Amino acid sequence: MRHIWMIIFLAALTACSGADGVATTPTASVSPGRSPGEPTTVAENLAVPWSIAFLPGGDALVTERDTARLVRVSASGQVTEVAKIDGVVPDGEGGLMGLAVKDDQVFVYYTAAEDNRIVRYRFTGDGVSDPRVIVQGIPKGGIHNGGRLAFGPDGHLYASTGEIGDRELAQQRDSLAGKILRMTPDGEPAPGNPFGTLVYSLGHRNVQGLAWDDQGRLYASEFGANSFDELNLIKPGANYGWPEVEGRGDDPDFENPIVTWDTSEASPSGLAYADGSLWMGALRGERLWQIPLAADGSPGEPVAHYSGVYGRLRAVSTAPDGKLWVGTSNKDGRGDVRDGDDRIIAVTP
C-alpha cells in the first residue's frame, strides 16, 4: 500500500511540474511570442553589477555590490566611474545594491556598518552630491538583504528587504525585514499604504526583483529555501507566507505565488517587463526566464533562454529603446568567471 501511495505522489508531482523545473502549472494560454534576438555585449570587466537604472539620454547607471562603485555605462559600452559610495560595508550578500533614478536624483540601497539603508543623492552628470539618508534601520545580515529599488507608475519608490536569515522577522509587521516597502522620495510612508507605515507587503524571504506590467500590476521575484523559488503578484497589505509557507500553500491567510521553480533552476534576482512578458534573471539557474503574461496578468508557460551561456544572471532592466540589459554575477564568489566577466549584455525581446 505504501508503495502504491508513493507512485501516486510521484505521478502528481510530475503532473504539476513543467519543463525546465517550473513547478507551478501556468494558468493562462498565452504565447511567449518570438524568441529574443542574439545578445550583444555592452560592457565588460565589471565586478558584480547588481542594479541597472537608465538616465533620460539612454546611458545607464550601474552599482557594483562589492566595490561600492557607481558607474555610468553608455550605449556604446564606455564605462566611467561616477562615485565610490561612502559608508558601504560589503559583507556576504550585502554591499552596494539597489539603484533608482528620478529626475536629477539618484537613490541607492546599501549595507552600512549597522544596517541596510536607502540614501538619496543629487546627480550632477559626472558625480553625486548632497547625500541624504531617507530610510535607515533596515536589518542587515550576511545573507538575505533584499536590496531592489524601483519607482512605480504611481511615482512612489519601492524597496525590497530580506529577512537576513532570521525567519520570524518576515511575519513581524513592525520590522522592516522580509518586506516590500513603499515610500515617497523623502522616505516617508506613501499615501494609501495599508498599515500607515513603510510596509506594503510582508511574509517575504528575500525579494530581489520588482517590475510592473503595462497595466500597473506589481510583480516580485523571490528566493526560496530548499524547494521553491517564487514569482509573486503583489497586493497591498498581503502576506506571502514565509516562513510558514514556501511555494504554494493554499492557505487563506497567505497569497500563493503565481509561478514557482525548483531552486536549482532559478534562484531569481532581477526582474523587468517588456513586450508582454516578465524577464527574470536566474543566478543558480544561469538563465534568463521569460514569463509571458495574459491580459489579466496571469502567467503562461515560462521559457528559459541562454541556459548556461553567460553564467549567473542578476541585474535585468528595460532600456529606453525597449531592449533588455542583463548583468552577469560570476564574480560574486559563487560563479565560474569567464573572460570579460562581469559583463552587461543587451537583448532584443
Side-chain angles (χ1 to χ4, degrees):
M1 179 65 69
R2 182 178 178 183
H3 177 69
I4 293 173
W5 278 113
M6 180 61 69
I7 292 174
I8 293 172
F9 170 78
L10 291 173
L13 184 64
T14 302
C16 69
S17 298
D20 293 311
V22 180
T24 295
T25 302
T27 55
S29 178
V30 54
S31 169
R34 64 181 182 274
S35 296
E38 187 68 22
T40 59
T41 297
V42 176
E44 294 184 321
N45 300 311
L46 299 171
V48 195
W50 208 95
S51 190
I52 302 168
F54 285 91
L55 300 167
D59 288 359
L61 295 179
V62 179
T63 54
E64 290 186 333
R65 187 189 70 184
D66 298 342
T67 68
R69 289 200 314 157
L70 177 68
V71 301
R72 182 170 184 161
V73 180
S74 71
S76 63
Q78 181 179 358
V79 178
T80 306
E81 182 174 315
V82 172
K84 191 163 186 178
I85 302 299
D86 290 336
V88 178
V89 181
D91 179 27
E93 295 177 2
L96 180 59
M97 296 178 287
L99 174 67
V101 175
K102 186 177 181 66
D103 301 324
D104 65 344
Q105 296 177 325
V106 172
F107 300 76
V108 296
Y109 181 119
Y110 67 76
T111 307
E114 302 296 333
D115 60 3
N116 287 304
R117 54 183 55 187
I118 302 170
V119 181
R120 186 181 72 201
Y121 295 84
R122 185 169 300 280
F123 179 60
T124 62
D126 56 1
V128 294
S129 62
D130 303 326
R132 178 185 171 188
V133 179
I134 63 169
V135 178
Q136 58 187 341
I138 302 169
K140 63 169 280 188
I143 58 173
H144 305 173
N145 288 286
R148 192 64 59 188
L149 288 181
F151 275 95
D154 57 6
H156 295 304
L157 180 63
Y158 291 71
S160 70
T161 71
E163 38 78 301
I164 66 167
D166 186 347
R167 298 181 170 200
E168 299 309 315
L169 292 179
Q171 289 295 320
Q172 295 175 12
R173 209 168 73 183
D174 60 351
S175 171
L176 295 180
K179 310 294 189 295
I180 292 175
L181 311 179
R182 177 175 177 261
M183 69 198 75
T184 70
D186 292 326
E188 298 297 323
N193 277 7
F195 311 116
T197 67
L198 291 173
V199 174
Y200 191 68
S201 62
L202 67 156
H204 298 290
R205 186 171 184 262
N206 192 24
V207 170
Q208 286 199 359
L210 299 171
W212 289 262
D213 66 14
D214 53 14
Q215 299 299 312
R217 290 176 288 246
L218 173 59
Y219 301 84
S221 53
E222 181 166 352
F223 280 89
N226 300 313
S227 300
F228 299 114
D229 294 321
E230 300 179 0
L231 177 69
N232 285 298
L233 174 62
I234 302 301
K235 303 174 183 178
N239 189 327
Y240 289 82
W242 180 255
E244 303 302 321
V245 178
E246 179 184 0
R248 187 178 182 92
D250 294 318
D251 185 319
D253 291 334
F254 306 125
E255 289 291 323
N256 281 324
I258 61 171
V259 184
T260 64
W261 288 264
D262 296 337
T263 55
S264 64
E265 305 295 330
S267 293
S269 189
L271 187 68
Y273 177 81
D275 197 37
S277 292
L278 291 166
W279 303 81
M280 187 182 80
L283 292 165
R284 185 180 174 192
E286 297 190 352
R287 65 202 68 185
L288 180 67
W289 281 104
Q290 178 187 6
I291 305 98
L293 297 178
D296 64 356
S298 55
E301 183 75 42
V303 180
H305 301 288
Y306 319 125
S307 297
V309 175
Y310 296 100
R312 294 165 61 82
L313 301 182
R314 186 184 297 275
V316 185
S317 187
T318 305
D321 64 2
K323 291 184 179 179
L324 296 167
W325 281 27
V326 182
T328 69
S329 191
N330 294 320
K331 290 182 177 178
D332 62 6
R334 298 178 179 176
D336 296 323
V337 180
R338 296 154 166 79
D339 289 341
D341 278 342
D342 276 315
R343 71 189 70 233
I344 294 173
I345 60 173
V347 177
T348 300

